[in-house]
Amino acid sequence: MPTHSLLSCVLCTKTYPLDDDRIACDCAGLLEVRHDFSHIISGGFGQYLRLLFSSRRQRPSGAADRSGVWRFRDLVLPGLDESDFVTRGEGNTRLYRDFRRTDAFTGCRAAYKHEGENPTGSFKDRGMTVAVSWAKKRGAK
C-alpha cells in the first residue's frame, strides 16, 4: 500500500516527511501524523482491508493480530514492521451498549469503549504502543 502520511504542524499547517527527525515545527508548533486515506476509498481498497482486518481477528497469527491497534497496522503508521511493534495487547476493549438514559438524552443508540480494560487501565495505551514502536524503529534506546 502506498504511503500517504506526513507530519503536519497544528499551528501553521506546514508539512514534513513522516521520517523527519524533528519533534516540533519551525514555528515551534506541535506536529501530528496526518493520513490521506482517499486512495483507499477511490481505489476500492476498503473492502480488501475490511476482510483483512476481520481475518486477523478471527485467526490471529501473532501478538500483532491479537492487538486492537496493530491488527489495523496497514492504517496506523506506514513503514513499521512487526519486528518494530512494542505491544501488550492494547485496544481490545469491549464495546458497551444499552445505555437507555444516554440513548434517550442523545436521541441515538449510544455505545462506548471502556479504556480501563487496556493493559495499564488507560486510554493512553493505544497511542503509546504506536509512539514507542515508532521510536524503536527510529533507533531510540
Side-chain angles (χ1 to χ4, degrees):
M1 178 161 70
T3 301
H4 297 298
S5 302
L6 47 83
L7 297 172
S8 177
C9 177
V10 299
L11 294 179
C12 73
T13 68
K14 185 174 179 177
T15 61
Y16 302 94
L18 187 62
D19 61 354
D20 196 313
D21 285 334
R22 68 182 62 244
I23 58 171
C25 180
D26 293 336
C27 76
L30 296 174
L31 297 173
E32 66 180 348
V33 177
R34 290 271 175 124
H35 301 290
D36 175 7
F37 294 125
S38 61
H39 63 289
I40 293 172
I41 297 164
S42 63
F45 199 51
Q47 180 63 25
Y48 165 76
L49 288 176
R50 279 192 291 280
L51 292 171
L52 177 64
F53 300 154
S54 177
S55 72
R56 285 178 181 160
R57 183 176 190 159
Q58 293 169 7
R59 293 179 305 281
S61 62
D65 288 350
R66 288 188 296 276
S67 166
V69 174
W70 295 116
R71 183 165 36 101
F72 305 101
R73 58 189 165 270
D74 311 80
L75 302 176
V76 177
L77 256 181
L80 283 177
D81 299 318
E82 267 190 72
S83 62
D84 299 316
F85 298 163
V86 178
T87 182
R88 300 193 73 195
E90 309 79 8
N92 283 326
T93 58
R94 289 176 279 182
L95 185 63
Y96 291 90
R97 297 178 190 213
D98 193 27
F99 293 93
R100 288 175 272 279
R101 290 176 56 195
T102 307
D103 294 353
F105 177 75
T106 62
C108 62
R109 188 171 175 210
Y112 82 97
K113 304 274 287 173
H114 183 348
E115 296 301 319
E117 294 173 350
N118 272 312
T120 70
S122 173
F123 70 94
K124 296 175 185 179
D125 289 356
R126 292 177 192 266
M128 289 311 297
T129 185
V130 177
V132 172
S133 297
W134 185 252
K136 177 183 174 189
K137 166 84 172 180
R138 304 289 293 153
K141 300 289 180 208

